[in-house]
Amino acid sequence: MARTVLRGIAGQEWSPGHPAGTDAGIENAVRPLAATGHHPVATCPMGADHEPDAVRDNALRVRGVEGLHEIDGSSLPSQVGGNMNAPIIMIAENAADMVPGRSPLPPEDPRKPK
């Protein structure tokens, strides 16, 4: 922003005490504000017994720990392209039936009036 052609449009210093134009100033200004937009997903995959990386079975049971189910986004195979809220709610809703051994509700017929 210090170039002659940009001086007329440059704004004020946005982080007091950090001089514009130096790597150290930029790093010191950005570091406390930086965050990731990614959610921790796909860290504990589900899979068949013969899959070496699968830490859970298809019922979300953690292998080798009796009675433990892990119900979160870490079971997803990868990050989805949208917000993670809906897929994780879906996992939790399915697990609410699966863990106690209940059959899931049948799908509703969209043609039938409610």
Side-chain angles (χ1 to χ4, degrees):
M1 297 304 290
R3 297 184 68 128
T4 305
V5 296
L6 298 176
R7 282 190 191 140
I9 61 169
Q12 295 287 25
E13 180 181 26
W14 60 273
S15 184
H18 301 292
T22 68
D23 288 346
I26 293 169
E27 182 177 340
N28 289 335
V30 171
R31 188 171 293 281
L33 304 174
T36 180
H38 295 285
H39 298 276
V41 300
T43 55
C44 299
M46 291 189 298
D49 289 338
H50 67 275
E51 295 181 64
D53 294 335
V55 296
R56 288 183 259 207
D57 64 12
N58 64 356
L60 302 172
R61 292 182 291 247
V62 176
R63 296 185 195 287
V65 184
E66 189 172 335
L68 179 62
H69 292 75
E70 189 169 5
I71 303 163
D72 59 16
S74 65
S75 65
L76 294 170
S78 63
Q79 172 91 23
V80 298
N83 189 293
M84 294 302 302
N85 190 39
I88 292 173
I89 288 173
M90 185 246 356
I91 292 168
E93 288 286 338
N94 283 331
D97 288 326
M98 193 175 4
V99 170
R102 295 188 300 242
S103 296
L105 294 173
E108 291 185 20
D109 185 344
R111 298 169 292 184
K112 289 185 179 179
K114 292 184 180 186

